[in-house]
Amino acid sequence: MSKAQKDKSTEVRILAAAKKIFVLKGMSGARMQDIADEAGINKALLHYYFKNKEQLFEMIFMEAAAKLFPKINKIFDGDQPLFEKIESFCEEYITIVTDNPFLPLFVINEINQDPDYFLKKVWAGKSKPNPAKFLEQIDREVKKGTIKKINPVHLLMNLISMTIFPFMGKPMFQKNLGVSDTQFRQLMEQRKKEIPAFIIDAIKK
Amino acid sequence: MSKAQKDKSTEVRILAAAKKIFVLKGMSGARMQDIADEAGINKALLHYYFKNKEQLFEMIFMEAAAKLFPKINKIFDGDQPLFEKIESFCEEYITIVTDNPFLPLFVINEINQDPDYFLKKVWAGKSKPNPAKFLEQIDREVKKGTIKKINPVHLLMNLISMTIFPFMGKPMFQKNLGVSDTQFRQLMEQRKKEIPAFIIDAIKK
DNA sequence: CGATTTTTTAACCATTTGGTTAAATTTTAT
DNA sequence: ATAAAATTTAACCAAATGGTTAAAAAATCG
């Protein structure tokens, strides 16, 4: 059992352990025994708390999705000016993901495994991202002449890519650039300002 | 048909099938039976050609890595001016990945599973990316005053993120933006020019 | 044709894995 | 103290899975 977990309640410990293992290994790579070990309990007790792997996985996945998406939606759907929206998105998203660095790859993987399951289960109802408003906002700024002519979809992709990808490519970047964990953290912290500045430089007239 | 060609045709079918399954499901999610089915043969023959899953996986992974990395290295290491390098990278990389859309997620996943294995096996020797030259080149341009002041690492991350991520997030983007496969292909084609233009707008003085 | 190689069939094995069970033990709360 | 709940132990099961085997059948080639 990892010492960070020994004082928590059993159910919380299991969920934390499951999150760690699932997020690290994915649904098919995760072993119930690994989760039990990580939680410092045995398999029997694990099944005493959670019926089966699928149910446990779904809880973890939902929690992950719930952590990643609603805040984005709120920003995209909000009434801030475009540049402020971009700043808010980077700020909030990088903050979340810095504390949960493996979530993006985990979620992207599971979406790729079964896009429809994801659509049905996670985006059932209100939590579904609605980038329409954000896209229209970009379009309006283009037509007003405030920013350069750009396809809003590309701008959206650029924003999301620059914000998310470095976390998924962390080991690659680290091995390649010789960056320590602390340095990586600092880089991501910088990107909260760096990305908005970069984008605004790219599109402002 | 000669003996060697006969061998090769079945072997090639197996490799193609293995690539499809591994890249879709990952190492732990892939089933040998699925690969055999996909290749239109039986499990016995599959093991007649390939000793075990690990060996097969390694061949596929190496092939994938060999497809993705050496070309990048050549561009980063080349003698083109900075802006041309950025253009070449986007052009060539998007071309490769358009024909192998699942490779990036596959490779990123396996790197995350075991960064050191990757380092040792794939980047053993010359094929290891060496972004140093590219980074220094950016630094020189900054000092020359040709481009705005920017941390070269952030610029590199931005370039790679914008180029690679949309392929990994394809299902997400498609579900969210209502984009068909053809439209997605067109978008990626556009990004060959869009990303360099975006970056150059962001950094040029 | 006859020898060799490829492929199938079909059974089989060992291990892993998700999951169960029942009894015993420990902890917690009343 | 005692009942209830939490936890362990340890064995077990069934299905999935990677891998093997031997013999037969089909294709290939000299």
Side-chain angles (χ1 to χ4, degrees):
Chain A
M1 165 169 22
S2 67
K3 63 186 161 200
Q5 303 188 4
K6 63 183 168 195
D7 50 335
K8 293 181 199 156
S9 86
T10 303
E11 199 178 324
V12 169
R13 256 168 44 223
I14 292 177
L15 285 171
K19 181 181 166 184
K20 182 173 172 184
I21 301 295
F22 276 132
V23 159
L24 227 57
K25 308 270 189 115
M27 167 66 179
S28 56
R31 296 289 99 102
M32 292 300 268
Q33 188 60 60
D34 295 340
I35 295 173
D37 290 348
E38 178 68 28
I41 59 169
N42 50 47
K43 219 174 47 168
L45 191 60
L46 178 55
H47 285 284
Y48 176 80
Y49 275 89
F50 294 92
K51 225 181 49 221
N52 55 39
K53 196 182 175 184
E54 276 73 30
Q55 191 207 310
L56 189 52
F57 177 82
E58 200 168 306
M59 290 193 68
I60 300 301
F61 185 69
M62 289 306 170
E63 197 208 307
K67 203 170 272 174
L68 282 183
F69 290 106
K71 216 166 231 174
I72 309 172
N73 304 347
K74 227 173 75 185
I75 295 171
F76 280 153
D77 259 15
D79 292 317
Q80 288 176 297
L82 180 61
F83 288 179
E84 283 180 31
K85 256 188 198 181
I86 293 172
E87 282 160 3
S88 299
F89 174 80
C90 294
E91 173 77 35
E92 296 216 34
Y93 207 88
I94 292 177
T95 300
I96 296 170
V97 182
T98 295
D99 290 330
N100 306 271
F102 295 106
L103 280 198
L105 187 56
F106 174 64
V107 171
I108 288 284
N109 263 317
E110 302 305 328
I111 294 178
N112 274 270
Q113 283 301 310
D114 191 344
D116 291 318
Y117 167 88
F118 182 74
L119 193 70
K120 226 173 49 184
K121 284 276 181 177
V122 182
W123 290 345
K126 59 187 175 216
S127 73
K128 177 177 175 179
N130 180 20
K133 190 169 180 179
F134 184 66
L135 295 175
E136 285 160 20
Q137 193 172 11
I138 297 170
D139 232 8
R140 271 200 307 278
E141 298 292 336
V142 170
K143 273 165 189 151
K144 263 199 289 180
T146 327
I147 61 174
K148 288 176 188 154
K149 186 164 174 276
I150 187 172
N151 180 342
V153 170
H154 285 305
L155 180 52
L156 179 69
M157 279 185 177
N158 292 348
L159 171 61
I160 294 180
S161 299
M162 286 191 280
T163 310
I164 299 181
F165 183 77
F167 292 94
M168 313 208 304
K170 186 186 172 198
M172 187 183 70
F173 284 124
Q174 291 202 36
K175 290 280 173 195
N176 242 292
L177 301 169
V179 173
S180 72
D181 280 353
T182 333
Q183 288 173 318
F184 186 82
R185 237 189 151 81
Q186 287 168 352
L187 279 170
M188 293 307 111
E189 190 61 32
Q190 291 166 16
R191 288 181 75 77
K192 289 180 181 175
K193 306 290 180 192
E194 192 73 33
I195 297 171
F198 189 86
I199 292 180
I200 289 168
D201 276 347
I203 62 175
K204 73 154 186 277
K205 264 187 173 162
Chain B
M1 191 191 290
S2 80
K3 184 173 70 181
Q5 277 169 335
K6 202 177 57 180
D7 284 3
K8 210 170 188 179
S9 88
T10 303
E11 204 179 315
V12 162
R13 272 197 357 253
I14 294 176
L15 285 171
K19 181 183 167 185
K20 184 174 171 184
I21 301 296
F22 275 132
V23 158
L24 227 58
K25 309 271 188 116
M27 166 67 177
S28 55
R31 296 290 99 98
M32 290 301 266
Q33 188 61 60
D34 295 339
I35 295 173
D37 290 347
E38 179 69 28
I41 58 169
N42 50 50
K43 219 175 48 170
L45 191 60
L46 177 57
H47 281 99
Y48 176 81
Y49 275 90
F50 293 93
K51 224 178 53 219
N52 55 39
K53 196 180 175 183
E54 276 72 31
Q55 190 206 311
L56 190 52
F57 178 81
E58 199 169 306
M59 290 193 69
I60 301 301
F61 184 69
M62 288 309 169
E63 197 207 308
K67 204 170 273 177
L68 282 182
F69 289 107
K71 217 166 231 175
I72 309 172
N73 305 347
K74 228 174 72 186
I75 295 171
F76 280 154
D77 259 17
D79 293 318
Q80 287 176 298
L82 180 61
F83 288 0
E84 283 180 31
K85 255 188 199 180
I86 294 172
E87 282 159 4
S88 299
F89 175 80
C90 294
E91 173 77 34
E92 296 215 34
Y93 207 88
I94 292 177
T95 300
I96 297 170
V97 181
T98 295
D99 289 330
N100 306 272
F102 294 105
L103 280 198
L105 187 56
F106 173 64
V107 171
I108 288 283
N109 263 318
E110 302 306 328
I111 295 178
N112 273 271
Q113 283 301 310
D114 190 345
D116 291 318
Y117 167 87
F118 182 75
L119 194 69
K120 227 172 48 183
K121 284 276 181 176
V122 183
W123 290 343
K126 58 186 174 212
S127 73
K128 178 177 175 178
N130 181 21
K133 190 168 180 181
F134 184 66
L135 295 175
E136 285 160 19
Q137 193 173 11
I138 297 170
D139 230 9
R140 270 199 309 277
E141 299 292 335
V142 170
K143 272 165 189 150
K144 264 198 288 178
T146 328
I147 62 174
K148 288 175 187 154
K149 187 164 174 274
I150 187 172
N151 180 342
V153 170
H154 285 305
L155 180 50
L156 179 69
M157 278 186 178
N158 291 348
L159 171 60
I160 294 180
S161 299
M162 286 191 280
T163 309
I164 299 181
F165 182 77
F167 291 94
M168 312 208 302
K170 186 187 172 197
M172 186 183 70
F173 284 123
Q174 285 194 304
K175 289 279 174 199
N176 242 293
L177 301 169
V179 172
S180 72
D181 280 352
T182 332
Q183 287 173 319
F184 187 83
R185 236 188 150 81
Q186 287 168 352
L187 279 170
M188 293 308 110
E189 192 60 33
Q190 291 166 17
R191 288 181 76 76
K192 290 180 180 176
K193 306 290 179 193
E194 192 73 33
I195 297 171
F198 189 85
I199 293 180
I200 290 169
D201 276 347
I203 61 176
K204 73 154 186 276
K205 263 186 173 162

